[in-house]
Amino acid sequence: MTGTVVNGRKGQAKNEIDVVALDKRAGRAEIRLIGGAKATVTRRSAADLDRLDRLKELLAEHGHDTGSAVLALFSMEGFQPDLVSTARRRGDVLLAGLPALVDAGDPMVVPGAR
């Protein structure tokens, strides 16, 4: 896992992606996770997920295999309730708050979990 930068449409803007995980077992790299990790004092919102959706689209436009990519948001302060609801409904979103990362007993929203 590492971060990267992807050019926007028509090469105008550079978009930073904090976390990218690749699966190279199939002989061709497949993007399995696209994530955002911000150390802010506000809860992550649906706007953060929308940004990851746009980045996933950009990566696909650049010819990368993003078909099974999970979108992951990491947060120190947690998540807005509407984002949690959306993540549970979609099934391709991972929400990991700081307590979940340091204490395995704290739940986080994981892909496919309802």
Side-chain angles (χ1 to χ4, degrees):
M1 276 195 241
T2 186
T4 191
V5 174
V6 63
N7 288 329
R9 291 176 177 91
K10 301 178 185 172
Q12 298 160 328
K14 294 186 186 276
N15 299 279
E16 183 178 341
I17 303 173
D18 300 319
V19 182
V20 177
L22 302 174
D23 182 353
K24 297 180 181 179
R25 291 178 290 183
R28 179 177 177 311
E30 177 182 345
I31 297 175
R32 298 302 303 254
L33 184 136
I34 302 165
K38 304 290 184 234
T40 64
V41 295
T42 59
R43 292 176 180 242
R44 306 298 297 269
S45 70
D48 296 301
L49 182 57
D50 292 342
R51 180 177 181 277
L52 290 181
D53 276 325
R54 286 191 304 276
L55 291 172
K56 181 178 177 179
E57 289 173 10
L58 279 174
L59 288 166
E61 288 174 10
H62 284 279
H64 299 286
D65 184 353
T66 62
S68 61
V70 169
L71 303 179
L73 288 169
F74 302 90
S75 174
M76 289 177 34
E77 296 297 326
F79 307 94
Q80 295 288 336
D82 62 328
L83 174 58
V84 174
S85 296
T86 298
R88 286 189 176 129
R89 188 174 54 255
R90 282 182 51 162
D92 68 339
V93 178
L94 168 68
L95 301 180
L98 185 60
L101 295 174
V102 297
D103 177 11
D106 187 41
M108 65 177 132
V109 176
V110 296
R114 304 271 176 199

